[in-house]
Amino acid sequence: MRIRFQKHAVEGRSPLLDKLYVDHLAKVSDPDTTVEIRTLPSQLYAAELPEELVGFGALGLLFGDYFARVAVSAERDGCAAWISGAGQDPGLAAARVRATIPVVGYGDATWQAARHERHRLGVLGFIPHLVEPVTANIASAGATLASYQVIDDGAVVARALAEDFEPFVREYTAAAERAAKSGAQWLVPAEGIPNEILVHLEIRELCGLPVIDPGGLAIKTAEHLVRLRDLGITARAATGYWCRRPSPDIVAHVEQILEVRS
């Protein structure tokens, strides 16, 4: 099975981060699964990380449209499932309408699992502007948020990508302690980049609480959903406004006519 995993970062800006993603996703996927990692266009931003772009709803909608389109592209290219690797799950709802293959979100897979397990979430993030969309997604999923801790020194993530891990571990441990005191039962990295660092450091527990791996959970969720469909246990609906499929010719025509040209 081929699964396409869409990162919310540009390839090559952090060689360590690129390697962490490849190693991690290969380790958690089944032997018969190929995970194809895709990144944002290189000209989108010049910094090491895209954090300066993700704090605006206006740009979030553009990211969401792009993610939905690449989900459709993954299906047309023969992939069995598509994953949004961004914590705020941009374009997830639209991708689920536009593509017929299983579409999984980094955040949504965890919020759904927490709701099922009835575990209170302690979310640890380093981008303050993502608190609003992530907490809205948690509420929409019906999960319980006990605490959302924003790391005071977000620069520790960039330092960790330069292999200076001690400040990162110190700050995330302190945030985990605050989340534990607020009644959290699961600790969840809000963004994919610190998740890769935590996995790399083999940090599975902080302050007595399990540290969940949303990236790994998204891969296993996608594999599970594909196999359920292959076995005929589940299927995508084909009726109703959001599930009825227009002909490919009509879709191609509308896409072409509505393409925005400068």
Side-chain angles (χ1 to χ4, degrees):
M1 129 184 8
R2 291 168 57 209
I3 296 176
R4 191 157 293 173
F5 185 99
Q6 177 67 43
K7 287 170 55 179
H8 206 268
V10 170
E11 185 177 13
R13 299 295 166 79
S14 170
L16 175 62
L17 181 62
D18 293 341
K19 183 178 186 302
L20 296 187
Y21 268 105
V22 170
D23 293 347
H24 174 211
L25 300 185
K27 183 177 180 179
V28 299
S29 57
D30 288 347
D32 64 343
T33 297
T34 299
V35 180
E36 303 173 355
I37 300 175
R38 294 292 185 269
T39 62
L40 293 173
S42 61
Q43 66 269 33
L44 190 63
Y45 61 90
E48 182 180 24
L49 302 176
E51 58 185 293
E52 294 301 321
L53 298 180
V54 301
F56 304 92
L59 296 181
L61 291 175
L62 292 175
F63 280 121
D65 178 68
Y66 177 78
F67 272 44
R69 286 188 284 115
V70 296
V72 172
S73 176
E75 178 175 11
R76 291 173 178 171
D77 196 33
C79 291
W82 178 84
I83 295 172
S84 166
Q88 70 275 31
D89 294 332
L92 191 65
R96 284 175 171 161
V97 172
R98 296 189 60 184
T100 65
I101 57 176
V103 168
V104 177
Y106 169 100
D108 187 63
T110 302
W111 318 144
Q112 297 293 345
R115 177 185 60 82
H116 177 74
E117 297 289 347
R118 297 187 179 183
H119 288 343
R120 297 183 298 274
L121 292 161
V123 180
L124 312 179
F126 77 100
I127 303 178
H129 296 300
L130 289 183
V131 175
E132 186 175 352
V134 171
T135 54
N137 289 342
I138 292 172
S140 179
T144 300
L145 177 64
S147 173
Y148 197 126
Q149 297 293 325
V150 177
I151 308 306
D152 290 335
D153 183 7
V156 297
V157 173
R159 292 178 64 179
L161 293 178
E163 300 193 57
D164 181 9
F165 297 117
E166 192 277 331
F168 174 90
V169 174
R170 182 180 63 247
E171 292 295 332
Y172 271 78
T173 300
E177 183 175 4
R178 296 193 297 270
K181 289 179 180 179
S182 297
Q185 296 169 297
W186 272 8
L187 298 174
V188 180
E191 304 93 3
I193 296 171
N195 183 61
E196 295 306 316
I197 298 169
L198 289 164
V199 169
H200 172 65
L201 297 176
E202 298 184 347
I203 296 176
R204 301 295 189 181
E205 180 180 297
L206 288 172
C207 303
L209 300 181
V211 178
I212 306 304
D213 170 12
L217 181 55
I219 292 290
K220 304 314 291 185
T221 299
E223 290 179 329
H224 177 62
L225 292 176
V226 171
R227 292 197 168 93
L228 288 177
R229 291 194 185 185
D230 287 346
L231 291 169
I233 295 172
T234 63
R236 188 186 192 278
T239 58
Y241 179 79
W242 296 110
C243 295
R244 290 177 61 234
R245 304 297 299 174
S247 73
D249 289 343
I250 291 177
V251 173
H253 171 73
V254 173
E255 287 179 340
Q256 181 182 19
I257 297 301
L258 295 185
E259 181 182 0
V260 177
R261 297 179 175 84
S262 58

